[in-house]
Amino acid sequence: MAAGEALRRAGRRLVAGLFLLLVLLAALLAGLWWWSGTQASLDWALERFGQPQGVVAEGATGSLRRGARIERLTWEQDGLQVQASGVELAWQPLALLHRQVQVTRLAARSVEVQDRRPPSTEPPQPPGPLELPLPVAGEALELGELRWSGGTEVQASGIAGHYDYNGTRHQVALRSLQLAQGRYSGEATLGDHHPLPLQARLEGALRVDLPGAAQPLALRLLATAVGPLQGFDARAQLEAAPGSPAPSAPAVTGRGPVTPWQPPFVPQAQARLQQLDLAALWPQAPTTALHGRVSVAPRGTATWAFDTDIANTVPGPWDQQRLPLARLHAQGEWRAGAPVLVRLFSADLGGGRAEGRGRWADNGWQLEGRIQDVDPAALHSQMASQPLGGPLHVEARGDALDFGFDLQAGGAPRPASPAGAGGGPGPP
């Protein structure tokens, strides 16, 4: 009897002890929950985690539980300075119980980045695994203005989207972005392990101001990227926006592989013109129907070679809003900081032919060649129809234009053609 009574007493003491422990634990959790809703909790977090990383916060109000408003955040390291103003953060801390970080809103009025880092002598390296310890849901990400200064000058505004990481891949949805005179939206998915598979799509609506045009030109851009991050295939298509007087068929399409961490970063690229009417894009330009291709390939690490073959199926005199050029083939190269060299070109021009070479630089351009059986009337209808041939030199510097030529008549005058008429080879 005595032993049983002792066991019962010990049991009651154990239950009471456990109950008291639960009460203390509940009181502790309640105290922590209350404390997490105070300004002191935010101040502690900024001091504990922000300051060791070089983050300086000014005008911070809020709490760990309810979120924060920070007037200014500054971070600087190795010549890179980032300053964010008007920062707002709201999240759901209870989502951590489900092993998830849930950010309901992360916004900033402006972010300014100043990059004063010296150029790196080390070759760029691809990122390693991008795995995060917990899934992340960023429901509303907003940035009013972004300014980046340094080696590259970028200014963007109206940035909004959301971010999601489900444990195996990162996904970003861009709802809006204003850059220069274009508005963009898109989405991208990137795996978190090698080979970091990428799938991205970008759509843009651009408005381009052209000299002499009453209204800006409206264009639509569609670009895609598919493949592993170390080497993916990129494609782009630029066309007139719906409602524009330009043709609805794509005007310019291009594609090529991209290797971001292995120069040359674009091993090769090709663009194709399809029924491109310059007058539809720019009212002061001549009416054209351009078909053909432009290909670019690197030669070494800083030199690019280009090859162009373009046909115009509606050539005609310049004063009749036509382009006298029927076909153009050109080859050359471009080097960073050097003139563009046209090593050779041949053109069907004014019913005849022109051949030569040239160069193009910031201070002007020059052209040396020879023409054969070119009819001046096919270039301008007010000129006499007498085929000409001989050497030709043209040089332009600023507003000055110098001609040098020794042309001679090469045949009998040609009969005048109907206004706007002109033949030429078909598309290449």
Side-chain angles (χ1 to χ4, degrees):
M1 293 293 293
E5 183 64 21
L7 287 175
R8 285 194 294 272
R9 290 176 181 174
R12 286 194 295 268
R13 293 192 188 98
L14 179 60
V15 171
L18 291 175
F19 178 75
L20 180 59
L21 181 61
L22 290 175
V23 170
L24 292 176
L25 182 59
L28 178 61
L29 292 175
L32 287 175
W33 181 256
W34 170 84
W35 175 80
S36 67
T38 65
Q39 177 71 38
S41 64
L42 178 62
D43 296 340
W44 173 84
L46 292 174
E47 181 180 356
R48 177 67 175 81
F49 300 103
Q51 292 183 6
Q53 302 300 321
V55 177
V56 178
E58 301 177 18
T61 59
S63 66
L64 283 180
R65 172 156 49 93
R66 295 193 303 266
R69 292 175 178 267
I70 304 175
E71 184 57 33
R72 181 176 299 173
L73 273 177
T74 304
W75 175 82
E76 184 174 4
Q77 183 176 356
D78 299 331
L80 182 65
Q81 184 183 70
V82 181
Q83 180 175 290
S85 301
V87 179
E88 298 182 21
L89 171 64
W91 70 310
Q92 297 292 337
L94 293 180
L96 294 174
L97 299 177
H98 303 284
R99 295 186 53 80
Q100 183 186 49
V101 177
Q102 184 176 357
V103 179
T104 56
R105 175 176 170 80
L106 176 59
R109 184 172 59 250
S110 65
V111 172
E112 183 173 356
V113 182
Q114 295 183 3
D115 189 355
R116 299 189 181 94
R117 295 174 296 180
S120 176
T121 58
E122 298 293 330
Q125 298 295 326
L130 301 176
E131 184 179 8
L132 298 180
L134 291 176
V136 178
E139 299 176 1
L141 308 179
E142 300 177 5
L143 175 56
E145 185 178 13
L146 171 65
R147 296 187 299 272
W148 187 298
S149 59
T152 303
E153 303 289 334
V154 177
Q155 186 166 346
S157 61
I159 305 172
H162 69 262
Y163 165 80
D164 178 80
Y165 173 69
N166 66 356
T168 59
R169 58 103 180 99
H170 304 265
Q171 184 173 9
V172 177
L174 178 65
R175 295 197 302 271
S176 66
L177 166 65
Q178 176 76 36
L179 180 63
Q181 298 187 56
R183 287 188 173 274
Y184 302 88
S185 63
E187 58 186 8
T189 301
L190 180 65
D192 63 354
H193 283 84
H194 185 79
L196 301 177
L198 171 68
Q199 187 169 5
R201 175 186 176 91
L202 179 68
E203 297 184 11
L206 296 80
R207 298 180 65 84
V208 181
D209 293 322
L210 298 177
Q215 295 181 348
L217 170 64
L219 298 174
R220 181 169 63 183
L221 171 69
L222 174 61
T224 60
V226 178
L229 190 60
Q230 294 189 19
F232 55 87
D233 183 66
R235 301 189 181 191
Q237 176 177 304
L238 184 65
E239 62 183 354
S244 170
S248 58
V252 183
T253 60
R255 63 168 299 177
V258 179
T259 55
W261 290 275
Q262 182 180 352
F265 304 117
V266 182
Q268 59 182 2
Q270 293 184 350
R272 182 165 292 276
L273 310 182
Q274 302 176 10
Q275 195 69 22
L276 177 60
D277 184 3
L278 296 178
L281 301 179
W282 183 14
Q284 280 66 40
T287 298
T288 62
L290 300 181
H291 306 259
R293 62 173 178 81
V294 178
S295 61
V296 180
R299 288 182 178 175
T301 58
T303 303
W304 301 81
F306 62 87
D307 190 336
T308 302
D309 195 0
I310 299 176
N312 175 28
T313 59
V314 291
W318 185 265
D319 61 318
Q320 295 176 3
Q321 203 71 9
R322 293 296 181 93
L323 185 66
L325 181 70
R327 187 159 192 159
L328 172 67
H329 177 70
Q331 293 180 343
E333 68 180 34
W334 170 81
R335 290 178 297 167
V340 178
L341 299 179
V342 180
R343 298 199 175 277
L344 64 91
F345 74 88
S346 61
D348 296 337
L349 177 70
R353 190 169 183 82
E355 296 179 341
R357 61 183 181 180
R359 65 191 296 273
W360 190 293
D362 293 338
N363 60 348
W365 55 273
Q366 67 179 32
L367 186 69
E368 295 183 0
R370 175 175 290 273
I371 63 174
Q372 180 180 357
D373 294 331
V374 174
D375 186 359
L379 306 180
H380 195 287
S381 63
Q382 300 301 316
M383 300 178 72
S385 178
Q386 179 68 54
L388 300 176
L392 178 67
H393 173 83
V394 183
E395 184 172 353
R397 292 182 180 274
D399 296 332
L401 185 63
D402 296 329
F403 286 93
F405 54 86
D406 184 13
L407 304 180
Q408 298 180 0
R414 298 177 182 172
S417 59

